[in-house]
């Protein structure tokens, strides 16, 4: 399972969030700078207004209006009721106020308004030199935000098939049929998805071919073996009859092991809760082992496994322990973490890694050496581990959950 901080989607969300925060901070900084720029312009225009007022203080209101209009101050008839008066610092206020003129600066949604009050007239002027640049800042912000969100959605849409691909691969690993992973896209993810689909199709064909081959062989072998066992039963008791009976039983057992191997490699797990001692008793019954040969301890607990497969794993471990034990009983100990099958005996003649491989046997008794291999394969299929220890003359094969 991929941790959250290593996920591509987490990194995508994180970088988008980081980019969004940086964009908002830059926007707020631009607004603040624009506000400062407005007040710098206000100061400059106020100084210009003060100069004109000083030069035209002896003229009439109409002449003064003409001069102000040429300087970019437009006369307005009405003012907004929600305009706000701008408090000015004392040096600027004293600079603006001439001997016979009182100047007050207001601000509304459209900009700055200068109110000029003289003894015989009251005039309002709007500064036309002031250009509204807020729209540019907002337009730039929304353009960048739209581009960022579009890029995020595009990347998220392109990466989204990765989740579906990952889930399908997981289901395939658990034995389920994988859905169609083909993609009509042209990016790298689509190429990977299509390559995976082609590989799985080839794998499924090989798998079905192998299953058909094994089933045909087992079917063809079971028929003569069954007929041979019936014929042997009809013969008079003799050493040859006994030997032929053992031979046919051995062949039947080998076919059963081949069927187990086929099921292990079919990757089809159907897990259900089951008591361990129940599966052990089933294995003993299949092996026709007497009760006194085994001694169980703590195996009355429940485990969630594929019952037929896991029973087969226990059966192979028990069969291996009984056949190679130098004395009885064989001990089976269970706890919350493991199931251990222990038997006394001589040390292994080869490393345990070799003993766990297919077609490796300790004794030349006609065995194929598949028992431990099947047990380990079933443990791996359940994502368990099969451990081995040899201490004080006792072998211990443990399936750890």
């Amino acid at each position: 399972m991929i941790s959250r901080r290593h996920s591509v989607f987490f990194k995508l969300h994180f970088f988008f969030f980081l980019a969004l925060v940086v964009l908002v901070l830059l926007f707020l900084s631009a607004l603040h700078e624009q506000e400062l720029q407005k007040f710098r312009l206000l100061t400059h225009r106020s100084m210009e207004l003060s100069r004109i007022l000083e030069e035209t203080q002896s003229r009439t209101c109409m002449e003064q209006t003409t001069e102000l209009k040429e300087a970019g101050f437009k006369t307005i008839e009405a003012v907004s009721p929600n305009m706000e008066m701008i408090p000015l610092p004392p040096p600027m206020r004293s600079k603006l106020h001439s001997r016979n003129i009182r100047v007050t600066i207001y601000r509304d949604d459209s900009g700055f308004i200068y109110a000029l009050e003289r003894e015989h007239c009251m005039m309002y002027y709007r500064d036309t030199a002031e250009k509204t640049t807020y729209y540019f800042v907002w337009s730039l912000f929304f353009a960048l935000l739209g581009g960022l969100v579009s890029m995020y959605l595009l990347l998220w849409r392109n990466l989204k098939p990765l989740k579906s691909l990952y889930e399908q691969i997981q289901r395939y690993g658990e034995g389920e049929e994988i859905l169609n992973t083909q993609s009509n896209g042209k990016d790298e993810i689509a190429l990977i998805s299509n390559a995976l689909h082609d590989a799985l199709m080839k794998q499924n064909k090989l798998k079905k071919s192998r299953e058909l081959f094994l089933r045909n062989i087992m079917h063809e072998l079971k028929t003569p073996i069954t007929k041979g066992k019936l014929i042997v039963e009809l013969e008079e008791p003799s050493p040859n009859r006994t030997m032929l009976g053992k031979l046919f039983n051995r062949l039947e057992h080998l076919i059963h092991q081949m069927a187990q191997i086929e099921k292990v490699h079919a990757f089809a797990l159907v897990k259900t809760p089951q008591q361990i001692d129940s599966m052990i008793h089933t294995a003993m019954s299949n092996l026709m082992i007497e009760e006194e040969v085994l001694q169980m301890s703590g195996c009355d607990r429940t485990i969630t496994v594929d019952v037929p497969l896991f029973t087969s794993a226990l059966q192979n471990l028990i069969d291996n322990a009984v056949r190679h034990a130098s004395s009885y009983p064989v001990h089976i100990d269970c706890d919350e973490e493991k199931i251990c099958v222990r038997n006394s005996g001589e040390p292994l003649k080869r490393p345990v890694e070799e003993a766990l491989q297919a077609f490796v046997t300790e004794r030349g008794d006609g065995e194929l050496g598949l028992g431990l291999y099947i047990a380990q394969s079933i443990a791996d299929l359940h994502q368990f581990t099969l451990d081995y220890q040899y201490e004080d003359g006792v072998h211990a094969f443990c399936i750890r959950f």
Side-chain angles (χ1 to χ4, degrees):
M1 186 69 179
I2 301 175
S3 63
R4 184 178 179 182
R5 64 189 183 91
H6 292 136
S7 170
V8 174
F9 292 93
F10 173 76
K11 293 175 183 177
L12 175 64
H13 300 330
F14 174 77
F15 283 118
F16 171 74
F17 175 76
L18 185 63
L20 186 61
V21 170
V22 171
L23 180 61
V24 171
L25 291 178
L26 289 175
F27 171 70
L28 295 177
S29 176
L31 287 182
H32 179 67
E33 180 62 29
Q34 179 129 354
E35 197 68 24
L36 293 178
Q37 187 68 25
K38 279 207 168 196
F39 275 96
R40 283 194 289 268
L41 178 63
L42 174 63
T43 302
H44 173 74
R45 295 294 287 168
S46 298
M47 295 300 102
E48 180 71 13
L49 178 63
S50 175
R51 181 187 63 79
I52 296 174
L53 292 178
E54 289 179 357
E55 294 177 353
T56 60
Q57 60 181 341
S58 59
R59 301 181 186 181
T60 63
C61 290
M62 292 299 296
E63 293 174 338
Q64 188 180 70
T65 299
T66 302
E67 290 287 336
L68 290 174
K69 185 176 181 181
E70 292 178 355
F73 295 95
K74 180 182 178 182
T75 305
I76 57 176
E77 298 297 334
V79 295
S80 174
N82 60 347
M83 64 182 181
E84 174 188 4
M85 187 175 70
I86 303 297
L88 300 175
M92 184 182 294
R93 187 168 57 250
S94 61
K95 183 72 175 176
L96 286 175
H97 293 176
S98 62
R99 186 167 49 187
N100 296 322
I101 301 175
R102 178 181 177 82
V103 179
T104 306
I105 302 178
Y106 298 93
R107 181 179 182 179
D108 62 6
D109 295 336
S110 300
F112 294 102
I113 299 173
Y114 297 87
L116 273 63
E117 182 180 355
R118 299 178 68 177
E119 294 179 356
H120 56 281
C121 64
M122 179 74 174
M123 304 294 289
Y124 294 95
Y125 301 92
R126 184 176 297 281
D127 189 358
T128 58
E130 178 192 353
K131 302 299 181 181
T132 303
T133 56
Y134 278 99
Y135 295 112
F136 170 74
V137 175
W138 280 99
S139 300
L140 182 61
F141 171 74
F142 282 114
L144 292 176
L145 180 62
L148 182 62
V149 172
S150 299
M151 181 62 67
Y152 167 76
L153 294 177
L154 180 63
L155 290 175
W156 183 78
R157 187 181 66 179
N158 288 342
L159 292 175
K160 189 177 179 180
L162 281 177
K163 282 189 175 181
S164 175
L165 198 59
Y166 172 71
E167 292 171 357
Q168 291 191 54
I169 292 173
Q170 275 193 318
R171 289 198 297 268
Y172 181 76
E174 293 174 358
E176 298 182 20
E177 286 293 331
I178 193 167
L179 302 177
N180 187 7
T181 63
Q182 284 184 308
S183 174
N184 295 325
K186 297 182 179 179
D187 56 10
E188 290 82 354
I189 296 177
L191 293 177
I192 293 173
S193 180
N194 292 334
L196 175 65
H197 177 268
D198 294 340
L200 290 178
M201 291 299 101
K202 292 179 182 178
Q203 182 70 19
N204 284 336
K205 288 181 181 179
L206 291 174
K207 178 182 172 183
K208 291 179 180 179
S209 176
R210 178 184 56 82
E211 290 176 355
L212 180 62
F213 175 72
L214 288 175
R215 287 173 182 173
N216 285 337
I217 288 180
M218 287 187 290
H219 176 73
E220 294 298 327
L221 289 176
K222 281 183 179 179
T223 302
I225 289 173
T226 303
K227 291 181 178 179
K229 290 178 67 176
L230 291 174
I231 293 173
V232 168
E233 292 296 327
L234 297 176
E235 294 291 328
E236 295 292 331
S238 67
N240 288 336
R241 175 190 169 183
T242 303
M243 183 179 66
L244 287 174
K246 290 182 179 181
L247 177 60
F248 284 122
N249 288 334
R250 182 61 192 149
L251 289 174
E252 191 173 43
H253 176 65
L254 293 179
I255 291 176
H256 176 66
Q257 285 190 319
M258 292 176 64
Q260 288 179 323
I261 292 176
E262 183 211 353
K263 189 173 183 181
V264 166
H265 290 288
F267 305 104
L269 288 182
V270 181
K271 295 183 179 181
T272 55
Q274 181 71 16
Q275 282 195 309
I276 297 174
D277 56 0
S278 174
M279 290 186 286
I280 293 175
H281 285 299
T282 301
M284 292 172 60
S285 176
N286 293 339
L287 294 171
M288 295 179 289
I289 296 177
E290 301 295 333
E291 291 286 342
E292 58 270 13
V293 174
L294 293 181
Q295 183 176 339
M296 288 187 291
S297 174
C299 295
D300 55 348
R301 60 185 74 252
T302 301
I303 184 174
T304 301
V305 292
D306 185 299
V307 176
L309 268 183
F310 199 75
T311 301
S312 177
L314 294 175
Q315 179 176 322
N316 281 283
L317 290 179
I318 294 171
D319 182 43
N320 179 76
V322 171
R323 286 190 296 104
H324 294 88
S326 58
S327 62
Y328 299 111
V330 170
H331 296 272
I332 304 179
D333 305 319
C334 309
D335 57 32
E336 295 289 344
E337 299 179 352
K338 61 185 182 300
I339 302 173
C340 290
V341 180
R342 310 178 192 273
N343 68 281
S344 58
E346 296 296 324
L348 296 177
K349 298 177 182 179
R350 52 174 57 87
V352 67
E353 292 79 12
E354 292 185 18
L356 292 173
Q357 295 177 7
F359 308 110
V360 176
T361 180
E362 284 287 294
R363 302 184 304 188
D365 54 1
E367 287 284 339
L368 286 181
L370 294 174
L372 293 179
Y373 169 76
I374 292 173
Q376 185 183 40
S377 298
I378 294 174
D380 292 341
L381 196 57
H382 285 81
Q383 297 183 350
F384 300 158
T385 57
L386 179 62
D387 296 337
Y388 169 77
Q389 287 183 342
Y390 182 75
E391 187 176 354
D392 298 331
V394 176
H395 300 273
F397 283 95
C398 299
I399 298 179
R400 296 186 181 273
F401 313 135

